[in-house]
Amino acid sequence: MRARRLVVPFLLSLCGPAAAQDSGIYIEFLWSRTPADALARQQTRQFVMTGDHEHQICVAATAATGDVGGLQLELRDADGKRVSLQHHDDYRGAKRCYRADLGSGGRPGDWTAHVVLGDGGSNTATIRVDPRLEDAPLFQQRDVPYVAGRPNYGASIAPEQWAGRLVWAMDVDPQGKVTMWRSKWPKAWVNACATVPSPPAT
């Protein structure tokens, strides 16, 4: 049995910016709805069709008039077929997040979020969508740890106390199966961080 130590400075795989920033319209994907008191948002590269995760699509836009005149948000599956269409006539341009309507029967793969504003501005961004997390290519990549979301930083901890190092350690047998999983982080983080899912056993 061999041990492999992984020092994770922040996020890997599913996390990190998956956003479009062209045309003055910013599109961002979140794994779940951000609590009002959260100090960090859960950006993601992956949505799943099953479970109640409250995936979010966020939009921020700039306009010379200060009012973009509404928002249309369309989601298309890997075949380019429309899965859902939302209209938000009260959208004025400031960043807002909307629940991702994944519909039913969409083909898994890279989906496209297409945003059209009332003033004619538009932009698109892509997000990976699979039936379950276990079906996602990133999940099946056995040599890369995955995190669905980001730690939820507790407001009770002073900013300077967040300095530290998170270490993940896995024991892997000759067949590539994870036989033991351990994590280690500063004591101050213990009650403030969200649960991090373990890597898949192969």
Side-chain angles (χ1 to χ4, degrees):
M1 188 159 46
R2 60 189 179 87
R4 179 171 55 176
R5 295 183 67 81
L6 301 170
V7 179
V8 184
F10 201 47
L11 273 199
L12 301 164
S13 291
L14 298 186
C15 303
Q21 304 182 46
D22 299 328
S23 308
I25 303 171
Y26 177 84
I27 304 172
E28 178 180 270
F29 302 107
L30 303 183
W31 178 257
S32 61
R33 188 172 180 271
T34 304
D37 59 348
L39 299 182
R41 62 191 186 277
Q42 297 182 326
Q43 286 182 264
T44 186
R45 300 177 184 276
Q46 174 82 50
F47 285 164
V48 292
M49 302 173 187
T50 55
D52 187 17
H53 301 291
E54 288 194 271
H55 298 320
Q56 305 281 305
I57 301 175
C58 305
V59 180
T62 57
T65 62
D67 184 349
V68 300
L71 165 71
Q72 174 181 292
L73 175 58
E74 180 184 32
L75 202 55
R76 297 190 177 191
D77 68 8
D79 287 331
K81 178 184 175 182
R82 177 185 290 175
V83 173
S84 64
L85 180 65
Q86 302 180 40
H87 293 276
H88 300 281
D89 296 334
D90 60 344
Y91 181 75
R92 294 294 172 259
K95 184 178 179 180
R96 289 183 61 179
C97 298
Y98 303 96
R99 182 162 184 161
D101 182 356
L102 303 183
S104 61
R107 182 185 173 191
D110 290 333
W111 288 27
T112 301
H114 184 207
V115 170
V116 179
L117 304 179
D119 64 5
S122 66
N123 199 11
T124 61
T126 58
I127 179 76
R128 178 75 196 190
V129 179
D130 288 289
R132 304 171 305 151
L133 188 59
E134 292 81 358
D135 301 319
L138 288 172
F139 184 100
Q140 296 174 21
Q141 231 177 313
R142 304 305 186 185
D143 58 343
V144 178
Y146 71 94
V147 179
R150 293 172 55 175
N152 186 28
Y153 299 104
S156 62
I157 297 179
E160 59 270 16
Q161 288 186 283
W162 282 107
R165 187 174 69 164
L166 167 63
V167 178
W168 289 349
M170 291 186 292
D171 293 340
V172 184
D173 68 15
Q175 287 71 47
K177 181 178 180 180
V178 176
T179 58
M180 186 175 292
W181 163 262
R182 300 176 299 281
S183 62
K184 183 178 180 181
W185 48 31
K187 290 182 180 179
W189 300 9
V190 173
N191 296 321
C193 290
T195 300
V196 177
S198 301
T202 58

